[in-house]
Amino acid sequence: MTTTTPALSGGRRRRPGDKIFSGTATASAVLILLILAGVGLFLLAEAYPAIVAPADEISGGRGLVLYLWPILFGTVLTSVIAMVLAVPVAVGIALFISHYAPRRLSQALGYVVDLLAAIPSIVYGFWGVQVFALALVPLYQWLAENLGWVPLFAGPASTTGRTILTASLVLAVMILPIISALSREVFLQTPRLHEEAAMALGATRWEMIKYAVIPYGRSGVISASMLGLGRALGETMAVTLVLSVSGGVSFNLINTGNPATIAADIALNFPEATGLRLSTLIAAGLLLFVLTFAVNFAARALVTRQKGGST
């Protein structure tokens, strides 16, 4: 006489713990989507009066689009400059810690990088306006005198150092630990067999990193960079303290004609805003929400494409 177990008969029953875990995970995922949708609907509802308001009633008297365009430009400009400066340095730091530094030194540097990521943004802001901006004034004057023919460095240079370039540099310092820490962890996950195989074929350490480590960690570095970009796009306090806002759209990085960023504009004007002015600021927040969502969506698509191309 033979007996069959549920596992062998194909009728394995799910244990209560499995059901509870599955239901909790599903509920959590649905809750995240509901919260995201709720935030979007709230911003849209509160911004609607500004969206449909006549142009002359919007702050500045030129309409909502022309009000949002300069602060959108300032947000994107500071974030792009910060990314261009921070990503190569962060990847270099991550590679040094993971593949070049001695074990004790790499552990100490890893702790320092992690601590830098935990510093509050307002501390970076105070450091930027009280120390860093003043230290950059001679450099800005030199750039205006010697490279003034380049539109980015046309004078007159700011005498306070509170320019769009200073704000971008502070943002670069702020996002550098995030990108470096995540990239370091990704590089450390490279299969040891891949590295040893490259070295056995006669590759130098740099060639091993170039052909084994970086391709393996490319998608992780992209994800880390997009996380840093999200931090740069939404940064408020540091940019508010460092940047001397004058409005308008300008590619000049060292003079006093600085466009604001969305987050800084909201922080500066929200305490006294009422009525339509408040709706206008919420519309700016909606724009930042959409921009951040679009950046994360594009990053996700890029990472998926990278993974698909590497298989």
Side-chain angles (χ1 to χ4, degrees):
M1 182 176 179
T2 60
T3 59
T4 59
T5 63
L8 295 177
S9 63
R12 173 178 290 181
R13 297 189 317 183
R14 298 176 62 187
R15 298 178 180 178
D18 294 335
K19 294 181 179 179
I20 294 174
F21 179 79
S22 176
T24 303
T26 303
S28 299
V30 172
L31 180 62
I32 290 296
L33 294 177
L34 290 176
I35 292 175
L36 184 64
V39 171
L41 290 175
F42 167 78
L43 292 174
L44 182 61
E46 295 295 323
Y48 184 75
I51 296 175
V52 300
D56 57 350
E57 296 183 8
I58 301 297
S59 179
R62 299 184 300 167
L64 184 62
V65 173
L66 293 180
Y67 173 82
L68 295 177
W69 162 240
I71 58 178
L72 174 62
F73 172 81
T75 301
V76 174
L77 181 62
T78 54
S79 300
V80 168
I81 295 175
M83 290 292 293
V84 170
L85 297 174
V87 171
V89 178
V91 172
I93 293 174
L95 288 174
F96 176 77
I97 294 176
S98 61
H99 286 84
Y100 282 95
R103 182 177 297 273
R104 291 184 179 180
L105 179 59
S106 65
Q107 291 179 348
L109 288 177
Y111 293 145
V112 171
V113 170
D114 294 339
L115 287 175
L116 287 175
I119 296 177
S121 60
I122 193 169
V123 176
Y124 281 110
F126 281 128
W127 167 75
V129 71
Q130 296 291 336
V131 179
F132 195 48
L134 297 177
L136 289 175
V137 171
L139 173 62
Y140 292 162
Q141 293 176 346
W142 184 90
L143 289 173
E145 294 173 0
N146 296 274
L147 296 176
W149 51 274
V150 179
L152 296 176
F153 308 121
S158 171
T159 57
T160 62
R162 299 176 61 186
T163 67
I164 199 76
L165 181 56
T166 303
S168 300
L169 290 171
V170 172
L171 283 179
V173 174
M174 293 178 65
I175 66 177
L176 190 148
I178 301 174
I179 301 174
S180 179
L182 295 176
S183 300
R184 180 192 70 216
E185 296 302 322
V186 171
F187 292 147
L188 288 174
Q189 299 303 316
T190 305
R192 188 68 179 174
L193 184 61
H194 292 185
E195 299 179 1
E196 293 176 351
M199 299 294 287
L201 291 173
T204 63
R205 177 169 295 188
W206 162 242
E207 290 173 336
M208 179 269 292
I209 291 174
K210 180 179 179 181
Y211 294 110
V213 177
I214 293 179
Y216 181 84
R218 183 181 293 115
S219 61
V221 172
I222 294 174
S223 299
S225 300
M226 292 303 103
L227 185 62
L229 178 58
R231 170 74 184 275
L233 288 172
E235 177 53 43
T236 303
M237 291 308 302
V239 177
T240 302
L241 291 172
V242 172
L243 188 61
S244 178
V245 177
S246 61
V249 174
S250 174
F251 284 97
N252 194 306
L253 303 180
I254 63 172
N255 68 5
T256 57
N258 302 307
T261 65
I262 296 176
D265 183 70
I266 294 174
L268 289 171
N269 296 287
F270 192 83
E272 301 177 355
T274 58
L276 188 59
R277 177 58 172 153
L278 180 60
S279 297
T280 303
L281 294 179
I282 295 178
L286 176 63
L287 177 61
L288 182 60
F289 178 81
V290 173
L291 176 63
T292 306
F293 183 82
V295 167
N296 284 282
F297 182 81
R300 197 58 163 168
L302 184 58
V303 170
T304 302
R305 182 177 178 182
Q306 288 289 339
K307 288 182 178 180
S310 61
T311 56

